Amino acid sequence: MQTLSQYLHQHATTPAVTAVMLALADGCRAIGQAVRNAAFTGQTGLAGSGNIQGEAQKKLDVLSNDLLAERLRSQPAVCAFASEENDSITLTPNPPHPGGVLVAFDPLDGSSNLDINAPVGTIFSLLPAPAAATVSEADFLQPGQQQLAAGYALYGPATVLVLTVDATVSAFTLDETHGEFILTQDALTLPAETGEFAINAANLRHWGDAIVRYVAECQAGRDGPRSKDFNMRWVAAMVADVHRILSRGGVFLYPADRRASAASGKLRLLYEASPMALLIERAGGLASTGHARILDIRPASLHQRVPVLLGARHEIERLNDYHTS
Ligand code: F6P
Ligand code: MN
């Protein structure tokens, strides 16, 4: 039995990554507890505020953000952080230093699921701090391949933490009795083939030709050009959909579509697409916009959206072909 702390001391590239990961894990443990106890603590419903994306914040969105911010602010390795719930970056008292870390996070992903007691999660990305006197927003705009580490927590029947700090992806389950994350799956790998896809099919009439073709061929099953039946799943929380894919394969699609509001898709590059792309690629899958590898994209702004097609290697290669043919 290996604890998260023991694992990180063996696998993480620097002591700073270990320290930040442990702080994030502690934040996720607290968020999981807050989510489970919300009915008794008054943390249900809307906060009465909105974030920069125009989304109505729930009380738990705000609390989760605070729980992570609190821990990151007092973490000596962290120089600044960016959150889905904050318009701009937050500087910590620690100026940039060698080995310093920037953190970008989505504190409570899929929070519309809270109303129905369905899974939600937290996504985080660690980037190197600049070699400068202070951190600015531009320092966060690094392509995803420069991430030092990334991961997510899923608050489901169990609280699970999935992360990558080296070339591999590992999963930890929270032992609620002792408050410790325990390694439960090492070196997760993603099969290149699948018979399962995930997409919000209500947007079908807005999709471009490549997505329409791909989904129609999956739906045609063994009677169509793919000559095999596909299954469809949609949890409506990216963390849970990606966790299913890392657990048993599949593809997850949140494409751009023809609506002006969805011209770049829905998901945010820095703290949703990039960390998930790193996990998926390190597990042997691919993550693409249809035209570009997500990890190669240099963000233009903190809350930039990006189309996301990720999962089984052969399926994403096929989707890339459909976008260029
Ligand atoms: O963070 C955005 C998000 O909640 C993702 O977690 C999820 O995959 C997606 O939006 C759900 O979108 P929709 O409302 O279209 O089902
Ligand atoms: Mn989200």
Side-chain angles (χ1 to χ4, degrees), residues 106 109-110 200 203 234 236-238 252 254 266-268 272:
D106 176 355
D109 175 65
N200 183 346
N203 298 328
W234 187 251
M238 186 193 201
F252 168 86
Y254 216 116
K266 177 176 187 185
L267 302 172
R268 277 57 53 107
E272 292 180 318

Side-chain angles (χ1 to χ4, degrees), residues 218-258:
C218 291
Q219 288 172 329
R222 67 176 64 206
D223 304 323
R226 303 295 306 269
S227 305
K228 71 170 185 180
D229 288 336
F230 282 77
N231 194 15
M232 208 292 286
R233 287 287 182 269
W234 187 251
V235 187
M238 186 193 201
V239 167
D241 279 309
V242 168
H243 191 67
R244 183 187 60 257
I245 289 167
L246 284 171
S247 303
R248 69 172 190 214
V251 289
F252 168 86
L253 314 177
Y254 216 116
D257 70 41
R258 295 200 177 94

Side-chain angles (χ1 to χ4, degrees), residues 9-323:
H9 284 103
Q10 273 175 26
H11 291 257
T13 43
T14 67
V17 168
T18 296
V20 177
M21 275 295 181
L22 288 173
L24 287 165
D26 186 59
C28 292
R29 187 195 45 72
I31 294 171
Q33 213 162 38
V35 165
R36 289 211 171 90
N37 292 314
F40 315 117
T41 56
Q43 292 292 336
T44 52
L46 294 174
S49 50
N51 65 17
I52 194 169
Q53 346 267 331
E55 297 162 342
Q57 289 171 310
K58 300 207 154 147
K59 288 182 190 168
L60 278 171
D61 284 318
V62 175
L63 177 61
S64 305
N65 195 40
D66 292 346
L67 289 169
L68 288 177
E70 217 170 79
R71 285 160 177 82
L72 293 177
R73 226 179 253 120
S74 60
Q75 181 47 244
V78 177
C79 307
F81 56 86
S83 163
E84 174 177 327
E85 305 302 341
N86 298 136
D87 299 3
S88 45
I89 65 168
T90 304
L91 300 181
T92 67
N94 315 305
H97 54 277
V101 174
L102 309 179
V103 182
F105 57 91
D106 176 355
L108 203 55
D109 175 65
S111 57
S112 68
N113 275 359
L114 291 170
D115 302 335
I116 58 166
N117 193 29
V120 289
T122 297
I123 313 173
F124 47 83
S125 162
L126 278 63
L127 290 161
T134 183
V135 179
S136 72
E137 193 162 306
D139 296 314
F140 279 83
L141 308 182
Q142 307 181 40
Q145 59 187 348
Q146 289 178 18
Q147 288 170 100
L148 300 169
Y152 63 78
L154 172 62
Y155 314 112
T159 293
V160 172
L161 187 71
V162 175
L163 51 82
T164 178
V165 295
D166 57 12
T168 66
V169 179
S170 297
F172 303 80
T173 303
L174 181 63
D175 170 354
E176 306 264 359
T177 313
H178 303 101
E180 284 265 28
F181 281 100
I182 305 297
L183 179 67
T184 38
Q185 232 184 323
D186 213 357
L188 274 76
T189 54
L190 189 47
E193 313 281 349
T194 185
E196 203 160 72
F197 66 101
I199 192 165
N200 183 346
N203 298 328
L204 186 151
R205 71 190 188 285
H206 305 296
W207 295 340
D209 295 343
I211 300 295
V212 170
R213 175 181 172 190
Y214 178 80
V215 172
E217 289 179 358
C218 291
Q219 288 172 329
R222 67 176 64 206
D223 304 323
R226 303 295 306 269
S227 305
K228 71 170 185 180
D229 288 336
F230 282 77
N231 194 15
M232 208 292 286
R233 287 287 182 269
W234 187 251
V235 187
M238 186 193 201
V239 167
D241 279 309
V242 168
H243 191 67
R244 183 187 60 257
I245 289 167
L246 284 171
S247 303
R248 69 172 190 214
V251 289
F252 168 86
L253 314 177
Y254 216 116
D257 70 41
R258 295 200 177 94
R259 289 168 294 179
S261 61
S264 301
K266 177 176 187 185
L267 302 172
R268 277 57 53 107
L269 177 56
L270 264 177
Y271 43 79
E272 292 180 318
S274 271
M276 292 312 203
L278 193 70
L279 292 165
I280 290 288
E281 288 210 357
R282 288 193 174 163
L286 289 177
S288 166
T289 64
H291 297 285
R293 180 178 176 238
I294 286 174
L295 293 176
D296 288 338
I297 302 172
R298 183 175 287 280
S301 62
L302 215 51
H303 300 287
Q304 174 180 340
R305 295 178 196 267
V306 71
V308 175
L309 317 175
L310 60 75
R313 172 173 289 273
H314 291 170
E315 297 298 312
I316 303 301
E317 284 168 351
R318 176 182 288 271
L319 276 154
N320 287 342
D321 286 348
Y322 288 6
H323 278 81

